[in-house]
Amino acid sequence: MKWHTLAVHAGTEPDPLTGAVMVPVYFTSTYAQEAPGIHKGYEYSRTHNPTRTALEMALAQLEGAKYGLAFASGLAATEAVLHLLAPGQHVIVSRDLYGGTYRLMRKVFETWGLQFDFVDTTDPAAVEAAFRPHTRLLWVETPSNPLLFVSPIAALAELAHTHGAKLAVDNTFATPYLQNPIEMGADIVVHSATKYLGGHSDVILGAIATNDEEIYQRLRFIQNAVGAVPGPMDCFLVLRGIKTLALRMQKHSENAQKIAEFLATHPKVSRVYYPGLPTHPQYLLAKQQMRLPGGMVSFEVKIASTEELRAFWSALQIFTLAESLGGVESLINHPAVMTHASIPPEERLALGITDGLLRLSVGIEDADDLIADLKGALQRL
Ligand SMILES: *Cc1c(COP(=O)(O)O)cnc(C)c1O
């Protein structure tokens, strides 16, 4: 099946009972049993719910995986993956990372006994040097948040496997339309479906896909035992979002490319981070590993202090100042103050997250309007 067909049909069959074309939203906590233990595969909705099952099948199909699992949020999915490990084990993690993932690792799992090293995963030699005898997981975000660095998935999978570790890829920014890590050797793919998969800024949900039966069984156990599951309405919203994923990602990418090119020529902009620009350090890798460069663009403006940005924010008409990303509407975020505030200032600066760094989630509006909006606001700097 080709991609646009897959996006529309993944996980959804007409309902056998009524013929309903969309999967019904099964608002039920429990299911009648004919006799104790005799049932239709559903006992209790923390364990299974038919709307969630449809979404989990869709997620697996999109990632070219055997198994899919849905969670209450992207971080709940991440938490489940980290629960595969035991205290004393070691994890290598991309240095440029979603702030909440960093917080979960440092503030929850580190006190619980896991060890983390944050390294530049765009560089396989740096990753190789970070392995220890008790390293069990390599966690990679690519493209990364907020600097959109691209890490070589196939090379990292090989490295992880040589050292007896598993590779997990946070595929939130790329989505399965742009990149399929499992096909490149990754063991686990994690998503914040809150972003592009849902696509409409109206739901919080997380997902995991894997081909590994043992990992799947353990994750399925954790999903039920911990209980961070999404409700049926949330599953429905993501299922609906997925149907237009391919179309949306094309438009997000097309708009982002135009905006990145515009920003690259603007005198008030000192640097643009976008995998679709030839100046991007992993431009060729992105070309090879991703179908399109995606809808996220980060750039640095020339300012002396964040105060100077006040007029810039108030001049924006279409871009909404907000956290999150991946919806149809364009958003702008100030990582140092918003999404990445939980990373200590010295570490943030060392990573390249300066006070002048801005991150765009480019929506599916008309590119000309978006560029005019940014142009007007940049004039206020
Ligand atoms: C948002 C996000 C998460 C966390 O997902 P939630 O659904 O907000 O819990 C994880 N990784 C990345 C890259 C994200 O953008």
Side-chain angles (χ1 to χ4, degrees):
M1 220 185 270
K2 287 197 170 174
W3 236 94
H4 288 254
T5 315
L6 184 63
V8 173
H9 293 281
T12 49
E13 292 279 325
D15 178 44
L17 192 64
T18 62
V21 168
M22 251 328 258
V23 179
V25 185
Y26 285 89
F27 281 120
T28 189
S29 59
T30 189
Y31 305 81
Q33 305 197 3
E34 265 171 57
I38 310 291
H39 52 73
K40 298 181 166 68
Y42 293 94
E43 295 160 274
Y44 186 61
S45 279
R46 173 165 27 75
T47 321
H48 293 106
N49 174 284
T51 316
R52 195 173 96 207
T53 304
L55 173 61
E56 290 179 333
M57 281 171 55
L59 293 164
Q61 285 175 29
L62 292 178
E63 283 293 5
K66 281 196 208 137
Y67 310 108
L69 295 126
F71 289 84
S73 68
L75 282 177
T78 305
E79 193 246 14
V81 173
L82 294 174
H83 265 145
L84 293 170
L85 305 171
Q89 294 182 337
H90 175 245
V91 186
I92 301 170
V93 188
S94 293
R95 205 164 58 148
D96 192 49
L97 190 68
Y98 177 69
T101 305
Y102 178 87
R103 182 177 56 199
L104 177 65
M105 291 172 170
R106 296 299 307 271
K107 302 278 169 75
V108 179
F109 277 94
E110 216 164 69
T111 56
W112 183 75
L114 284 188
Q115 297 161 18
F116 297 94
D117 267 319
F118 297 85
V119 308
D120 177 4
T121 54
T122 66
D123 175 10
V127 175
E128 170 91 78
F131 277 99
R132 300 192 207 159
H134 54 299
T135 305
R136 291 291 174 274
L137 184 68
L138 171 56
W139 179 281
V140 173
E141 199 175 286
T142 179
S144 65
N145 183 6
L147 296 174
L148 303 164
F149 294 138
V150 177
S151 294
I153 296 173
L156 295 177
E158 217 179 294
L159 259 182
H161 298 156
T162 315
H163 290 270
K166 303 288 185 189
L167 173 65
V169 175
D170 183 335
N171 205 24
T172 300
F173 273 32
T175 81
Y177 178 61
L178 301 189
Q179 151 181 301
N180 298 119
I182 286 179
E183 285 169 9
M184 293 179 250
D187 303 285
I188 300 168
V189 173
V190 177
H191 281 282
S192 171
T194 309
K195 316 295 167 53
Y196 288 108
L197 290 174
H200 296 75
S201 306
D202 53 10
V203 63
I204 300 281
L205 194 139
I208 300 178
T210 183
N211 263 346
D212 185 315
E213 164 82 24
E214 204 181 315
I215 289 176
Y216 169 70
Q217 292 302 346
R218 183 67 191 162
L219 286 172
R220 181 60 87 189
F221 174 82
I222 292 166
Q223 182 194 42
N224 183 53
V226 174
V229 293
M233 188 66 209
D234 292 349
C235 294
F236 175 87
L237 287 171
V238 175
L239 268 171
R240 181 165 71 171
I242 284 171
K243 291 182 185 294
T244 55
L245 178 68
L247 273 180
R248 284 186 287 109
M249 291 317 291
Q250 286 182 338
K251 185 67 173 167
H252 283 300
S253 268
E254 185 190 312
N255 283 353
Q257 182 76 40
K258 287 182 184 162
I259 287 174
E261 285 168 11
F262 157 73
L263 290 170
T265 61
H266 199 284
K268 290 279 165 61
V269 174
S270 49
R271 188 160 174 188
V272 181
Y273 298 88
Y274 185 64
L277 290 182
T279 50
H280 186 281
Q282 294 94 33
Y283 172 71
L284 290 176
L285 172 64
K287 236 183 158 147
Q288 172 202 333
Q289 182 167 285
M290 301 173 71
R291 188 175 273 118
L292 294 167
M296 299 300 295
V297 179
S298 291
F299 64 105
E300 210 169 63
V301 286
K302 295 175 186 162
I303 49 163
S305 82
T306 54
E307 289 297 297
E308 277 183 57
L309 284 170
R310 227 180 254 166
F312 174 83
W313 301 128
S314 55
L316 288 168
Q317 309 262 313
I318 300 175
F319 278 89
T320 302
L321 179 63
E323 296 194 4
S324 198
L325 58 116
V328 290
E329 66 288 302
S330 290
L331 303 179
I332 185 163
N333 162 48
H334 192 191
V337 181
M338 296 165 67
T339 45
H340 290 67
S342 58
I343 301 178
E346 330 70 74
E347 274 180 57
R348 229 168 36 219
L349 271 179
L351 290 172
I353 305 173
T354 60
D355 285 349
L357 184 76
L358 305 177
R359 188 193 76 185
L360 304 176
S361 171
V362 177
I364 62 168
E365 301 97 330
D366 284 298
D368 292 347
D369 290 331
L370 297 176
I371 289 172
D373 199 32
L374 289 170
K375 203 174 193 169
L378 283 167
Q379 267 163 12
R380 302 290 208 82
L381 283 181

mmCIF file of all heavy atoms in Angstrom, residues 1 39 58 71 83 100 112 114 157 181 206 216 218 227 260 269-270 296 303 333 359 366 369 376-377:
data_model
loop_
_atom_site.group_PDB
_atom_site.id
_atom_site.type_symbol
_atom_site.label_atom_id
_atom_site.label_comp_id
_atom_site.label_asym_id
_atom_site.label_seq_id
_atom_site.Cartn_x
_atom_site.Cartn_y
_atom_site.Cartn_z
ATOM 1 N N MET A 1 0.836 -1.191 0.000
ATOM 2 C CA MET A 1 0.000 0.000 0.000
ATOM 3 C C MET A 1 0.876 1.247 0.000
ATOM 4 O O MET A 1 1.837 1.324 0.750
ATOM 5 C CB MET A 1 -0.862 0.006 1.270
ATOM 6 C CG MET A 1 -2.276 0.483 1.039
ATOM 7 S SD MET A 1 -3.183 0.588 2.598
ATOM 8 C CE MET A 1 -3.885 -1.054 2.714
ATOM 9 N N HIS A 39 -15.281 -14.066 27.158
ATOM 10 C CA HIS A 39 -15.642 -12.737 26.655
ATOM 11 C C HIS A 39 -15.113 -12.569 25.236
ATOM 12 O O HIS A 39 -14.490 -13.481 24.686
ATOM 13 C CB HIS A 39 -15.109 -11.653 27.596
ATOM 14 C CG HIS A 39 -13.634 -11.812 27.887
ATOM 15 N ND1 HIS A 39 -12.674 -11.517 26.970
ATOM 16 C CD2 HIS A 39 -12.971 -12.261 28.998
ATOM 17 C CE1 HIS A 39 -11.480 -11.768 27.478
ATOM 18 N NE2 HIS A 39 -11.636 -12.224 28.710
ATOM 19 N N ALA A 58 -3.336 1.145 13.748
ATOM 20 C CA ALA A 58 -2.968 2.188 12.775
ATOM 21 C C ALA A 58 -1.527 2.641 13.003
ATOM 22 O O ALA A 58 -0.748 2.775 12.055
ATOM 23 C CB ALA A 58 -3.924 3.371 12.894
ATOM 24 N N PHE A 71 -0.657 5.586 24.626
ATOM 25 C CA PHE A 71 -0.524 6.018 26.014
ATOM 26 C C PHE A 71 -1.198 7.374 26.213
ATOM 27 O O PHE A 71 -1.543 8.054 25.249
ATOM 28 C CB PHE A 71 0.963 6.108 26.396
ATOM 29 C CG PHE A 71 1.612 4.763 26.511
ATOM 30 C CD1 PHE A 71 2.092 4.118 25.374
ATOM 31 C CD2 PHE A 71 1.712 4.125 27.732
ATOM 32 C CE1 PHE A 71 2.674 2.859 25.463
ATOM 33 C CE2 PHE A 71 2.284 2.867 27.834
ATOM 34 C CZ PHE A 71 2.765 2.231 26.701
ATOM 35 N N HIS A 83 10.789 2.316 31.804
ATOM 36 C CA HIS A 83 10.457 1.248 32.748
ATOM 37 C C HIS A 83 10.882 -0.139 32.259
ATOM 38 O O HIS A 83 10.795 -1.114 32.993
ATOM 39 C CB HIS A 83 8.957 1.257 33.055
ATOM 40 C CG HIS A 83 8.624 2.028 34.295
ATOM 41 N ND1 HIS A 83 7.467 2.777 34.428
ATOM 42 C CD2 HIS A 83 9.306 2.177 35.455
ATOM 43 C CE1 HIS A 83 7.469 3.344 35.624
ATOM 44 N NE2 HIS A 83 8.564 3.003 36.261
ATOM 45 N N GLY A 100 10.738 18.116 28.280
ATOM 46 C CA GLY A 100 10.018 17.225 29.197
ATOM 47 C C GLY A 100 10.677 15.853 29.301
ATOM 48 O O GLY A 100 10.637 15.207 30.360
ATOM 49 N N TRP A 112 15.626 7.428 40.683
ATOM 50 C CA TRP A 112 15.148 6.053 40.783
ATOM 51 C C TRP A 112 16.284 5.050 40.483
ATOM 52 O O TRP A 112 16.137 3.860 40.710
ATOM 53 C CB TRP A 112 13.985 5.906 39.796
ATOM 54 C CG TRP A 112 13.277 4.613 39.742
ATOM 55 C CD1 TRP A 112 12.374 4.131 40.651
ATOM 56 C CD2 TRP A 112 13.356 3.632 38.705
ATOM 57 N NE1 TRP A 112 11.898 2.915 40.236
ATOM 58 C CE2 TRP A 112 12.479 2.583 39.052
ATOM 59 C CE3 TRP A 112 14.093 3.529 37.519
ATOM 60 C CZ2 TRP A 112 12.311 1.451 38.251
ATOM 61 C CZ3 TRP A 112 13.927 2.415 36.724
ATOM 62 C CH2 TRP A 112 13.042 1.385 37.107
ATOM 63 N N LEU A 114 18.419 5.087 37.417
ATOM 64 C CA LEU A 114 18.962 4.968 36.049
ATOM 65 C C LEU A 114 20.049 6.026 35.870
ATOM 66 O O LEU A 114 20.004 7.078 36.497
ATOM 67 C CB LEU A 114 17.870 5.186 35.004
ATOM 68 C CG LEU A 114 16.870 4.070 34.751
ATOM 69 C CD1 LEU A 114 15.996 4.415 33.548
ATOM 70 C CD2 LEU A 114 17.574 2.742 34.499
ATOM 71 N N ALA A 157 21.706 2.458 15.184
ATOM 72 C CA ALA A 157 21.099 1.158 15.487
ATOM 73 C C ALA A 157 22.195 0.090 15.531
ATOM 74 O O ALA A 157 22.247 -0.750 16.434
ATOM 75 C CB ALA A 157 20.046 0.807 14.437
ATOM 76 N N PRO A 181 11.877 4.832 11.446
ATOM 77 C CA PRO A 181 13.096 4.363 12.119
ATOM 78 C C PRO A 181 13.214 2.837 12.205
ATOM 79 O O PRO A 181 14.330 2.309 12.161
ATOM 80 C CB PRO A 181 12.986 4.978 13.522
ATOM 81 C CG PRO A 181 12.125 6.188 13.340
ATOM 82 C CD PRO A 181 11.139 5.789 12.293
ATOM 83 N N GLY A 206 0.154 9.666 23.479
ATOM 84 C CA GLY A 206 1.478 9.157 23.151
ATOM 85 C C GLY A 206 1.389 7.795 22.494
ATOM 86 O O GLY A 206 0.382 7.101 22.617
ATOM 87 N N TYR A 216 7.467 -5.699 23.184
ATOM 88 C CA TYR A 216 6.036 -5.418 23.099
ATOM 89 C C TYR A 216 5.280 -5.997 24.295
ATOM 90 O O TYR A 216 4.478 -5.308 24.927
ATOM 91 C CB TYR A 216 5.459 -5.973 21.792
ATOM 92 C CG TYR A 216 3.945 -5.958 21.775
ATOM 93 C CD1 TYR A 216 3.250 -4.744 21.706
ATOM 94 C CD2 TYR A 216 3.214 -7.135 21.851
ATOM 95 C CE1 TYR A 216 1.870 -4.716 21.722
ATOM 96 C CE2 TYR A 216 1.836 -7.113 21.864
ATOM 97 C CZ TYR A 216 1.168 -5.906 21.798
ATOM 98 O OH TYR A 216 -0.196 -5.880 21.816
ATOM 99 N N ARG A 218 6.321 -6.745 27.241
ATOM 100 C CA ARG A 218 6.658 -6.042 28.476
ATOM 101 C C ARG A 218 5.977 -4.658 28.500
ATOM 102 O O ARG A 218 5.439 -4.235 29.521
ATOM 103 C CB ARG A 218 8.185 -5.914 28.578
ATOM 104 C CG ARG A 218 8.675 -5.276 29.850
ATOM 105 C CD ARG A 218 8.415 -6.125 31.089
ATOM 106 N NE ARG A 218 8.664 -5.344 32.311
ATOM 107 C CZ ARG A 218 8.221 -5.650 33.515
ATOM 108 N NH1 ARG A 218 7.481 -6.736 33.700
ATOM 109 N NH2 ARG A 218 8.496 -4.893 34.554
ATOM 110 N N GLY A 227 -1.015 2.015 33.963
ATOM 111 C CA GLY A 227 -2.348 2.563 33.711
ATOM 112 C C GLY A 227 -2.419 3.922 33.054
ATOM 113 O O GLY A 227 -3.471 4.557 33.067
ATOM 114 N N ALA A 260 12.093 29.042 5.757
ATOM 115 C CA ALA A 260 13.520 28.899 6.084
ATOM 116 C C ALA A 260 14.361 29.673 5.068
ATOM 117 O O ALA A 260 15.320 30.366 5.437
ATOM 118 C CB ALA A 260 13.911 27.429 6.107
ATOM 119 N N VAL A 269 18.325 38.144 11.055
ATOM 120 C CA VAL A 269 18.430 36.734 11.440
ATOM 121 C C VAL A 269 19.882 36.283 11.318
ATOM 122 O O VAL A 269 20.485 36.413 10.257
ATOM 123 C CB VAL A 269 17.519 35.865 10.541
ATOM 124 C CG1 VAL A 269 17.707 34.379 10.819
ATOM 125 C CG2 VAL A 269 16.052 36.268 10.733
ATOM 126 N N SER A 270 20.440 35.781 12.421
ATOM 127 C CA SER A 270 21.858 35.395 12.361
ATOM 128 C C SER A 270 22.042 33.934 11.972
ATOM 129 O O SER A 270 23.093 33.552 11.477
ATOM 130 C CB SER A 270 22.542 35.672 13.700
ATOM 131 O OG SER A 270 21.782 35.141 14.757
ATOM 132 N N MET A 296 9.175 22.034 11.043
ATOM 133 C CA MET A 296 9.749 22.806 12.149
ATOM 134 C C MET A 296 10.955 23.608 11.660
ATOM 135 O O MET A 296 11.824 23.071 10.973
ATOM 136 C CB MET A 296 10.195 21.868 13.273
ATOM 137 C CG MET A 296 9.075 21.033 13.877
ATOM 138 S SD MET A 296 7.757 22.015 14.610
ATOM 139 C CE MET A 296 8.629 22.792 15.958
ATOM 140 N N ILE A 303 19.559 40.006 18.896
ATOM 141 C CA ILE A 303 19.035 40.882 19.956
ATOM 142 C C ILE A 303 20.053 40.949 21.090
ATOM 143 O O ILE A 303 20.856 40.042 21.269
ATOM 144 C CB ILE A 303 17.693 40.375 20.541
ATOM 145 C CG1 ILE A 303 17.787 38.880 20.902
ATOM 146 C CG2 ILE A 303 16.539 40.634 19.603
ATOM 147 C CD1 ILE A 303 16.706 38.407 21.825
ATOM 148 N N ASN A 333 7.530 29.786 19.319
ATOM 149 C CA ASN A 333 7.893 29.467 20.684
ATOM 150 C C ASN A 333 9.273 30.051 20.983
ATOM 151 O O ASN A 333 10.133 30.129 20.094
ATOM 152 C CB ASN A 333 7.863 27.936 20.792
ATOM 153 C CG ASN A 333 8.608 27.398 21.994
ATOM 154 O OD1 ASN A 333 8.432 27.863 23.110
ATOM 155 N ND2 ASN A 333 9.448 26.410 21.763
ATOM 156 N N ARG A 359 11.544 29.190 17.768
ATOM 157 C CA ARG A 359 11.186 27.958 17.068
ATOM 158 C C ARG A 359 9.800 28.103 16.468
ATOM 159 O O ARG A 359 8.865 28.490 17.160
ATOM 160 C CB ARG A 359 11.211 26.794 18.060
ATOM 161 C CG ARG A 359 11.055 25.427 17.407
ATOM 162 C CD ARG A 359 10.762 24.354 18.429
ATOM 163 N NE ARG A 359 9.384 24.430 18.878
ATOM 164 C CZ ARG A 359 8.867 23.678 19.855
ATOM 165 N NH1 ARG A 359 9.618 22.813 20.484
ATOM 166 N NH2 ARG A 359 7.595 23.799 20.208
ATOM 167 N N ASP A 366 -1.317 29.749 4.016
ATOM 168 C CA ASP A 366 -0.584 30.131 2.807
ATOM 169 C C ASP A 366 0.797 30.673 3.195
ATOM 170 O O ASP A 366 0.899 31.557 4.052
ATOM 171 C CB ASP A 366 -1.366 31.189 2.025
ATOM 172 C CG ASP A 366 -2.529 30.556 1.285
ATOM 173 O OD1 ASP A 366 -2.283 29.705 0.410
ATOM 174 O OD2 ASP A 366 -3.681 30.884 1.622
ATOM 175 N N ASP A 369 1.337 34.487 3.366
ATOM 176 C CA ASP A 369 0.816 35.169 4.561
ATOM 177 C C ASP A 369 1.762 34.969 5.747
ATOM 178 O O ASP A 369 1.987 35.889 6.532
ATOM 179 C CB ASP A 369 -0.570 34.619 4.930
ATOM 180 C CG ASP A 369 -1.634 35.041 3.910
ATOM 181 O OD1 ASP A 369 -1.474 36.106 3.298
ATOM 182 O OD2 ASP A 369 -2.613 34.287 3.738
ATOM 183 N N GLY A 376 6.930 41.458 8.870
ATOM 184 C CA GLY A 376 6.420 42.608 9.608
ATOM 185 C C GLY A 376 6.956 42.635 11.019
ATOM 186 O O GLY A 376 7.369 43.685 11.526
ATOM 187 N N ALA A 377 6.963 41.479 11.676
ATOM 188 C CA ALA A 377 7.417 41.429 13.078
ATOM 189 C C ALA A 377 8.925 41.659 13.163
ATOM 190 O O ALA A 377 9.397 42.330 14.079
ATOM 191 C CB ALA A 377 7.014 40.104 13.692
#
